[in-house]
Structures are given as C-alpha cells and as structure tokens.
Amino acid sequence: MAAKTLIFLAERSLLPDRAIREGMRRFIAQIERQPTQTDSAFAAEMAQHPIAEHTEIANLQHYELPADFFAAFLGPNRKYSCCFYPTGAETLAQAEDASLELTAANAGLADGQDILELGCGWGSLCLWMARRYPRSRITAVSNSAPQRRFIEVQAMVDGLKNLRVITANVNSFVPDGHFDRIVSVDSRYAINHVPRGVLDRAFRAQAAIADSDLSGQLVRGGGDKNVPAADR
C-alpha cells in the first residue's frame, strides 16, 4: 500500500493504533539512518525558503481552535511539541517537564537573561521559563491571537510579571530589544531559517545582542543527541 494512502488512513483514525505505532517506528528508523546534516548545510538549505511558510493555513487548521479542545489530549503544560520519556514509564505531565528541562539545558538558559521564543504555541515553554527564571524577561511570539490570550490569562493566574506575548507573523516580526537567547521549539515546519531573517533584523535594530554569541546559542533540533538542540 502506498505511503500516502497509509498516511491518509492514519490521519483519519482508520488504522488500528498498533499499525500506526509500527509505521511510526519504521519512519523514525528510516530518518535515523540518514546522514546527519551539518549546521552549515542546514542553514544553506533553509536560506532557500521564506522565514515561515503557510502561516494563514496553520491558523485555519489548528492555531485558532479553542484552548479547551487541546486540553482534551495535551498535558497540563499544553505542550504542543514533542515530550521526552527518559525511561518510558513517565506520565504525560512528567514527560512534558522532562522535555522542558532538556530544552532549557541545551539552550543554556539562566535566570536574569532576556529570552525570545519564536512560535510559542499554547505557552508551555514561555510560561515554564517565566516561572523558572523570575529575574528573566521573556518575550514570546505567536501567530495566533487565541494563543496569546490564553497565555496572558495563565500568566495572570500564576502572577507572572516577566512574560510578554506578541501576536505577529514571523516573516514581518521585528525585535524591539536585545536578547541573550532565542529559542524555537519544534518549529522547523513553520520557521525555516531564523538566522537569515529574524536575526538579521535583530542585528540591524540594535548595536549588539547582549554579550553572547547568538550563532552558537540559536540551537535547532535533530535526531543526534550530540547536536545542541533547544528545538527538540
């Protein structure tokens, strides 16, 4: 059966879970057999595309849906990206926390930093960072107004004063300050090449971005655990 047909059936819940899990294992194994892409090759490939693609379609498909819909199947952090199961016995909530901890460690996050998150979803990381790093100033960018409103309400409930959420299309977003870290979690499908786009504008908008080397701190995801990856 053709791969497209199997994907079509899986997306409509017309295949048993057992078959879907086996298909996912085979797909992941196929990806892991591929040669690891270097950062320079990744940057060159992404530079051939717009910064973000299909932003309007993404809003229509899922970004504008009510937050309560996602509460039915996401964890308590509303983590809209991959979780991390170190032992395989973790609950969804524990796997969310483990993934957020790993993201922060890989990105070298620390209290007192100015941090920009591009593509913040329902706020799993930006809310987590605001709680974990109370002296930091967190700016989160979302293409969705409902996502921004949901995060703002959660921040108010939690008494967080160090989080700002901006509704913007990343293609036209211009940073209004300097940042020690820029993170983007599981957004490669939407944000193709932050270095050429947002970082170029960020450097034009200010004389310098703190003291850090952002070329080493803007980290992306990948299957190789040896590759720095706040984008896992």
Side-chain angles (χ1 to χ4, degrees), residues 159-202:
L160 301 173
K161 305 294 186 182
N162 59 338
L163 172 59
R164 175 180 59 150
V165 187
I166 299 171
T167 301
N169 186 322
V170 73
N171 284 304
S172 55
F173 171 65
V174 178
D176 60 359
H178 65 266
F179 301 94
D180 302 295
R181 296 293 187 273
I182 298 177
V183 294
S184 182
V185 179
D186 282 359
S187 295
R188 178 171 174 176
Y189 71 94
I191 300 176
N192 284 322
H193 55 85
V194 177
R196 192 190 74 176
V198 172
L199 282 188
D200 284 350
R201 291 198 293 270

Side-chain angles (χ1 to χ4, degrees), residues 25-129:
R25 291 190 185 102
R26 293 188 182 189
F27 179 69
I28 292 170
Q30 179 180 353
I31 292 175
E32 290 180 340
R33 287 194 297 269
Q34 297 175 357
T36 302
Q37 189 180 33
T38 64
D39 284 352
S40 58
F42 172 83
E45 177 186 343
M46 292 300 98
Q48 305 305 312
H49 300 274
I51 296 172
E53 298 178 331
H54 313 305
T55 53
E56 294 81 6
I57 294 176
N59 273 358
L60 290 173
Q61 286 179 339
H62 49 99
Y63 287 161
E64 302 293 330
L65 293 175
D68 289 346
F69 169 78
F70 294 94
F73 57 90
L74 296 180
N77 288 301
R78 299 289 198 280
K79 196 171 190 313
Y80 202 48
S81 51
C82 296
C83 295
F84 180 47
Y85 294 81
T87 69
E90 289 77 13
T91 65
L92 178 56
Q94 291 169 335
E96 281 187 331
D97 288 335
S99 181
L100 293 166
E101 292 276 4
L102 184 61
T103 294
N106 285 337
L109 302 185
D111 201 11
Q113 292 174 335
D114 288 275
I115 304 170
L116 171 65
E117 182 185 9
L118 298 173
C120 59
W122 296 99
S124 60
L125 180 58
C126 64
L127 287 166
W128 184 92
M129 291 188 296

